[in-house]
Amino acid sequence: MTQFKTHISRRSFFKSTVIVGGGMLLGFNWLSSCMREEDAARALVLPDEWFDINAFLKIGNNGVVTIMAPNPEIGQNVKTSLPMIVAEELDVDWNQVIVEQAPLNTDAFTRQVAGGSQSVRQSWEGLRKAGATARHMLVAAAAARWGVDPADCSTSKGVITGEDGRQLRYEEVATEAAGMEVPEEVELKDPSEFKIVGTGHGNVDIEKIITGQPLYGIDTQKEGMQFAVVLRPPAFGQKLVSFDDSEARKVNGVTDVIRFGDKIAVLAKSTWPAIKGKKALRAQWAVDTPLESTAQHDKAMVDLLDKRSEEPMRKDGDVKKAFAEADQVLERVYEAPYLPHNPMEPMNFYADVREDGVELTGPTQTPAGARREVAELLGRNESEITLMMTRQGGGFGRRLYNDPAQEAAEISSLAKSPVQLVFTREDDMTAGTYRPATKYKVRASIKDGQITGYHLTEAAMSSHLYGSIAHFFPAGIIPNFLFEAHAVESNITTGAWRAPHTNFHAFVDQSFFDELAEALKADPVLLRLDLLEKVKELQDDRIQYSPERLQGVIRLVAEKGNWGKAPEGVYQGFSAYYCHNTHVAELAEVVLNDGKPVLKKIYCAIDCGIVVNPLAARNQAEGGIIDGIGHAMYGDLTFSDGQPSYNNFDTYRLIRMSEAPEVEVHFVENDIAPTGLGEPPFPPAAPAFANAVYKATGKRLYKFPFVKELEG
Amino acid sequence: MAQYTLNINGEQRTVDVDPDTPLLWVLRDDLKLVGTKYGCGVAQCGVCTVHVNGVAMRSCTFPVSGVGVAEVTTIEGLSKNGDHPVQKAWKQHDVPQCGYCQAGQIMTAAAFLKDNPNPSEKEIAAAMNGVICRCATYTQIKAAVKAAAKL
Ligand code: FES
Ligand code: FES
């Protein structure tokens, strides 16, 4: 065991209570049990009394332990995985654990955010210490009672054992433990001692999900509440001039129509009349800022691809010279459209703005941001606002943006009534914050069988990629290297979308690498391994990935997928990519069906350090890969006159089961602190597929969505 | 507005709504059975699937006036203790990620397996194709449907 500074102060120990849904018409139950099915018979009995040990956990007088799930759950499994980490160091039986969704509490918890695949990585140490500190205090309390040295006591499954074999259960010393000195340093387990972490544990909400109990923001129904559906300007750049709500008000169940800014809210007793009322509104819109179209965007981006940037993101040597002296120059352009996030649960939020306080409930990836923005909007203090996080029907980045919470708060404040704001799917798909449409130009120079120059230019709508991507492989080992990025200004709102920028950059980078290997007459896997050898010699602290770990996943997936030894009629494609602190390599297998390429299978190798919950990790990898393929194949959103071309699933295509490849995932085993999985498996999927399509058909793919080229 | 007495999960429930109100919203807003989810409202995503006389139906485009005396089963009524073979298999395979689509997936699978207790992989994919999962849990859904067929 190693000693670690705890940084847990007395201040963070606060009195907590079990949260039950006050004033709820629908009983939300914030507690979730981790019990296995065989234990369901002797269902967990809630204790009469809880002992608060610290902000993360409390122990019941019957031995049941409640562990808080601090972060927003958007399907990335943190509601299960994070409490597992606490339980591990606390040394309790996972079957005796109840998980409670924590509300927003910035005093007790740090980083209550879902984004960037960072939840596990950034919480790992803190959660371990929270569990270990509690264990330390419980042991100290038992040792004090026995008059022995705590160092001579051991713990297992919630029981403290003394040197002489005497035993006390955690709940028996919980009161004394809560009064113990908080240790300045605690011992953390050696990963080899882990019993809960590294073992597959099912989703703590599974029982509620499979029986349809209220769980999501959209399920919120409270006393006195009205439902609100909002009409927003149909095109980006429009503003509201006037409207006629006489027909809307005639709809049975509609209670009010309220204008706020350029939007109009229809309030009703239930969702359907609110939707009908919205359809019955007659609004006049005027052009405020120019209405934009995809053709225009395309031209603006193409123009920027040839523009030199004043501040390149990375510059080594002299690419101009390298290209002038080259034997061969390879130049390719890659294109990707805007994408809506389309979480299955449409945007929604509950707000009750009252004189005596503001209550917010709903799905957000950034609850602290939601509270801050609502406070600013209403001119209230943050301390007046409570925020409860619900389980979220997907996020994919969309719920990093709190326009739903703001709109709900504004409507509630104007209507002087609690309001549940619901976006229809059409609203959800057309309200913006898209993955920006992006183009890349990549050029490479080859001389004497070596890559001498590499020049990548990005042009993206409203945003451009961030710093660390410029230092991804193969930066550093190519003597002349230039990486530039430009943004085109637009009134179409954009934002982070699952694996921001890397979701497309990986395709560009890894497809281009395949062509480079071909030009060099090299095996793309061996070429990667060779070049990564050179990365090992670099002294460049801008390079964050580990060449050893990237080589590790490349070798693992090449072995598992039999790289280079495909049976007759099976065509392989390869990719390897590091992003969001995790190393991933993928191998795709394509076959031809009536001459058309069909993706059969993707093999994947991942190095994310310690795998906290193997079941959930498998799910994240399988889902991320299929999602990566789905959006590369079908995802498409274009604009004409400021208006999105699609607004629902009748025209906007998401991948379905029959189109999903088989996925086989392998994890590298090691003791390195864990990193995230919500995003990293996604980006390498599309290039592995595209490289296999080339092998099968001789056709290179340069443009998302692939379906346009593959299905004609 | 009109009164409708519906047979939901074996119980008679009376609601007072407009005839064009989709069954989905009657279930969710009037009867507080929120397990049936809204995803698109245009019969494309399948997350609103319920059983009407044992047949899988999309409740978002099914007006309440058309329900009549039909027996409607929602995810809440699929089994008493959450132990329908499909639910059990879902648990065994830890299928859900965000979980939002899963009621629709489970209801679709349950109706399908009743008609075809021994399906091939192709038949499973064809039957389940109507329900979108944005988290792409398809690998485990397929495995769980196979497993449920054997329970
Ligand atoms: S909500 Fe009914 S099919 Fe999508
Ligand atoms: S589990 Fe998230 S939509 Fe299916």
Side-chain angles (χ1 to χ4, degrees):
Chain A
M1 289 200 182
T2 328
Q3 297 284 328
F4 288 89
K5 288 251 178 281
T6 57
H7 304 292
I8 294 179
S9 69
R10 223 357 121 175
R11 257 191 59 236
S12 64
F13 284 57
F14 76 117
K15 179 84 190 151
S16 64
T17 45
V18 179
I19 300 165
V20 287
M24 288 263 189
L25 283 174
L26 264 178
F28 266 71
N29 182 347
W30 303 108
L31 306 178
S32 302
S33 138
C34 316
M35 276 184 305
R36 289 198 312 264
E37 203 172 354
E38 51 266 38
D39 301 302
R42 46 181 186 86
L44 274 186
V45 183
L46 282 185
D48 324 319
E49 225 187 321
W50 290 103
F51 306 102
D52 292 326
I53 307 296
N54 60 35
F56 290 89
L57 61 101
K58 52 194 169 208
I59 296 178
N61 60 353
N62 64 350
V64 169
V65 178
T66 290
I67 300 183
M68 304 305 284
N71 284 25
E73 172 64 70
I74 57 173
Q76 81 285 44
N77 199 256
V78 291
K79 195 169 171 184
T80 306
S81 307
L82 300 188
M84 279 171 65
I85 300 170
V86 179
E88 177 67 66
E89 293 287 351
L90 179 62
D91 218 2
V92 289
D93 186 348
W94 184 245
N95 289 324
Q96 288 296 305
V97 170
I98 289 175
V99 171
E100 181 177 331
Q101 177 65 57
L104 175 64
N105 182 341
T106 43
D107 290 336
F109 306 109
T110 50
R111 199 182 181 279
Q112 289 182 288
V113 173
S117 299
Q118 296 301 306
S119 296
V120 164
R121 176 171 173 257
Q122 299 205 25
S123 309
W124 172 246
E125 222 183 271
L127 294 176
R128 290 180 74 191
K129 286 176 182 168
T133 305
R135 178 187 163 279
H136 181 103
M137 290 159 71
L138 289 157
V139 169
R145 204 191 279 184
W146 291 329
V148 303
D149 184 348
D152 295 330
C153 302
S154 64
T155 57
S156 172
K157 294 196 170 186
V159 179
I160 306 152
T161 307
E163 211 180 8
D164 53 5
R166 275 187 292 189
Q167 292 195 323
L168 277 170
R169 303 191 50 80
Y170 281 1
E171 63 271 24
E172 296 175 284
V173 288
T175 325
E176 289 137 85
M180 282 279 152
E181 189 90 18
V182 183
E184 266 178 29
E185 286 186 338
V186 283
E187 289 170 347
L188 297 181
K189 287 184 179 176
D190 186 86
S192 65
E193 299 169 62
F194 287 164
K195 294 182 206 119
I196 297 172
V197 167
T199 314
H201 289 291
N203 186 326
V204 293
D205 278 333
I206 187 103
E207 205 68 53
K208 291 181 189 166
I209 293 170
I210 63 172
T211 56
Q213 290 169 51
L215 197 56
Y216 301 90
I218 204 167
D219 302 338
T220 308
Q221 294 191 26
K222 300 194 193 191
E223 260 161 75
M225 179 190 99
Q226 304 190 70
F227 292 81
V229 173
V230 170
L231 180 66
R232 300 171 185 80
F236 290 89
Q238 283 179 329
K239 64 180 180 193
L240 178 61
V241 180
S242 62
F243 67 101
D244 172 1
D245 61 9
S246 52
E247 290 303 312
R249 287 183 184 274
K250 285 184 199 153
V251 173
N252 272 329
V254 167
T255 49
D256 206 353
V257 177
I258 297 175
R259 173 179 183 162
F260 62 111
D262 285 313
K263 304 168 190 173
I264 310 161
V266 177
L267 285 88
K269 287 186 193 136
S270 48
T271 318
W272 181 247
I275 293 175
K276 265 171 75 177
K278 175 187 159 183
K279 281 191 191 139
L281 286 172
R282 296 286 161 262
Q284 279 76 48
W285 311 97
V287 175
D288 187 22
T289 54
L291 308 184
E292 301 173 9
S293 296
T294 295
Q296 216 181 311
H297 292 160
D298 282 344
K299 185 172 179 311
M301 284 188 280
V302 166
D303 288 349
L304 280 179
L305 289 178
D306 288 320
K307 204 182 130 193
R308 298 291 60 89
S309 158
E310 302 276 298
E311 290 168 11
M313 307 193 71
R314 183 177 174 119
K315 187 174 184 294
D316 302 321
D318 182 351
V319 279
K320 215 168 174 187
K321 190 155 170 273
F323 284 104
E325 292 169 357
D327 300 335
Q328 190 187 349
V329 171
L330 211 59
E331 179 179 309
R332 300 289 182 252
V333 171
Y334 298 86
E335 300 172 75
Y338 282 101
L339 289 183
H341 297 80
N342 274 327
M344 218 60 221
E345 175 192 16
M347 296 299 111
N348 64 83
F349 231 87
Y350 171 88
D352 185 7
V353 179
R354 297 182 311 262
E355 298 260 295
D356 64 342
V358 178
E359 196 189 323
L360 300 173
T361 298
T364 168
Q365 294 177 241
T366 50
R371 185 173 63 184
R372 189 178 55 244
E373 288 163 29
V374 168
E376 269 168 32
L377 177 82
L378 301 176
R380 306 279 292 249
N381 283 326
E382 282 191 49
S383 58
E384 296 175 83
I385 303 176
T386 60
L387 191 148
M388 192 62 211
M389 290 174 270
T390 51
R391 188 177 183 88
Q392 311 184 29
F396 311 105
R398 178 62 180 89
R399 295 190 224 272
L400 293 166
Y401 309 97
N402 288 303
D403 46 310
Q406 291 186 39
E407 288 184 358
E410 194 162 1
I411 301 166
S412 169
S413 140
L414 292 168
K416 303 205 179 345
S417 153
V419 160
Q420 166 76 349
L421 167 71
V422 180
F423 283 50
T424 63
R425 175 58 59 195
E426 291 83 358
D427 298 337
D428 189 278
M429 222 183 279
T430 57
T433 327
Y434 305 116
R435 191 273 300 270
T438 306
K439 296 191 199 303
Y440 283 94
K441 181 180 271 189
V442 199
R443 305 164 72 215
S445 59
I446 295 172
K447 188 166 175 62
D448 302 329
Q450 302 288 324
I451 309 165
T452 52
Y454 189 100
H455 179 191
L456 184 146
T457 312
E458 184 200 55
M461 299 305 301
S462 309
S463 72
H464 64 68
L465 50 70
Y466 45 91
S468 66
I469 299 175
H471 311 295
F472 283 6
F473 179 80
I477 49 170
I478 293 168
N480 306 292
F481 190 94
L482 185 59
F483 201 109
E484 305 174 287
H486 308 283
V488 178
E489 266 184 49
S490 170
N491 57 13
I492 295 169
T493 53
T494 59
W497 193 104
R498 193 176 201 172
H501 292 282
T502 57
N503 62 39
F504 183 49
H505 173 265
F507 168 67
V508 173
D509 187 60
Q510 292 296 299
S511 305
F512 190 74
F513 190 86
D514 211 59
E515 290 205 53
L516 262 181
E518 191 182 24
L520 292 168
K521 299 188 176 49
D523 175 87
V525 171
L526 293 178
L527 182 62
R528 279 183 182 85
L529 293 173
D530 277 355
L531 292 175
L532 283 164
E533 278 307 307
K534 294 193 191 164
V535 177
K536 292 181 190 169
E537 291 154 22
L538 293 176
Q539 306 274 337
D540 184 342
D541 51 19
R542 291 169 299 175
I543 294 176
Q544 290 170 359
Y545 68 92
S546 147
E548 288 84 2
R549 294 175 80 183
L550 201 49
Q551 283 180 328
V553 290
I554 291 171
R555 289 200 182 98
L556 181 61
V557 85
E559 179 208 318
K560 297 291 180 186
N562 283 312
W563 173 253
K565 292 178 233 133
E568 181 74 27
V570 176
Y571 303 90
Q572 296 174 317
F574 203 90
S575 71
Y577 196 70
Y578 160 91
C579 63
H580 307 278
N581 310 98
T582 293
H583 303 75
V584 182
E586 294 178 20
L587 188 162
E589 286 186 347
V590 161
V591 296
L592 289 172
N593 225 340
D594 291 334
K596 288 203 167 158
V598 176
L599 177 61
K600 288 314 269 188
K601 183 165 180 175
I602 289 195
Y603 294 88
C604 172
I606 301 177
D607 184 347
C608 60
I610 292 167
V611 179
V612 174
N613 186 354
L615 263 185
R618 172 208 72 187
N619 281 351
Q620 285 303 299
E622 289 174 352
I625 288 167
I626 296 172
D627 191 23
I629 294 297
H631 278 92
M633 269 304 271
Y634 311 115
D636 195 12
L637 195 69
T638 53
F639 290 84
S640 53
D641 293 329
Q643 213 162 333
S645 44
Y646 308 116
N647 66 13
N648 207 329
F649 300 135
D650 47 354
T651 45
Y652 187 91
R653 192 165 167 191
L654 284 172
I655 194 166
R656 293 173 185 265
M657 185 185 279
S658 64
E659 295 143 352
E662 192 187 327
V663 177
E664 185 180 310
V665 187
H666 299 274
F667 289 93
V668 172
E669 277 181 41
N670 59 38
D671 280 352
I672 303 171
T675 54
L677 279 174
E679 288 159 316
F682 181 115
F689 173 46
N691 292 338
V693 167
Y694 171 69
K695 289 264 202 65
T697 63
K699 183 179 167 68
R700 291 278 179 193
L701 298 171
Y702 296 105
K703 196 171 176 177
F704 286 174
F706 296 156
V707 68
K708 286 193 175 156
E709 290 182 63
L710 294 179
E711 290 181 8
Chain B
M1 302 276 249
Q3 283 220 342
Y4 298 93
T5 299
L6 307 171
N7 180 348
I8 312 282
N9 298 330
E11 277 177 48
Q12 302 291 316
R13 309 281 302 263
T14 301
V15 292
D16 194 8
V17 292
D18 269 356
D20 65 349
T21 310
L23 176 60
L24 169 69
W25 298 114
V26 174
L27 292 169
R28 291 186 54 84
D29 295 349
D30 297 282
L31 300 176
K32 315 284 177 228
L33 293 168
V34 295
T36 305
K37 295 299 192 239
Y38 165 73
C40 69
V42 294
Q44 292 292 322
C45 73
V47 305
C48 64
T49 303
V50 298
H51 296 173
V52 178
N53 288 332
V55 178
M57 285 249 330
R58 275 138 196 230
S59 61
C60 68
T61 47
F62 187 27
V64 66
S65 56
V67 178
V69 295
E71 281 175 32
V72 176
T73 309
T74 69
I75 185 76
E76 291 91 342
L78 182 63
S79 65
K80 260 219 156 59
N81 302 309
D83 54 1
H84 184 283
V86 173
Q87 288 167 315
K88 280 192 186 160
W90 245 246
K91 235 164 123 170
Q92 263 171 25
H93 285 268
D94 199 37
V95 173
Q97 286 182 35
C98 83
Y100 190 79
C101 72
Q102 300 296 341
Q105 307 281 4
I106 290 171
M107 295 308 280
T108 305
F112 163 64
L113 286 174
K114 205 165 44 144
D115 293 340
N116 187 348
N118 207 349
S120 70
E121 253 193 49
K122 261 220 159 86
E123 289 169 330
I124 295 176
M128 300 306 295
N129 232 29
V131 195
I132 296 174
C133 175
R134 176 67 179 81
C135 303
T137 60
Y138 300 125
T139 314
Q140 297 308 320
I141 292 176
K142 201 186 277 179
V145 174
K146 270 194 233 168
K150 298 203 179 77
L151 286 176

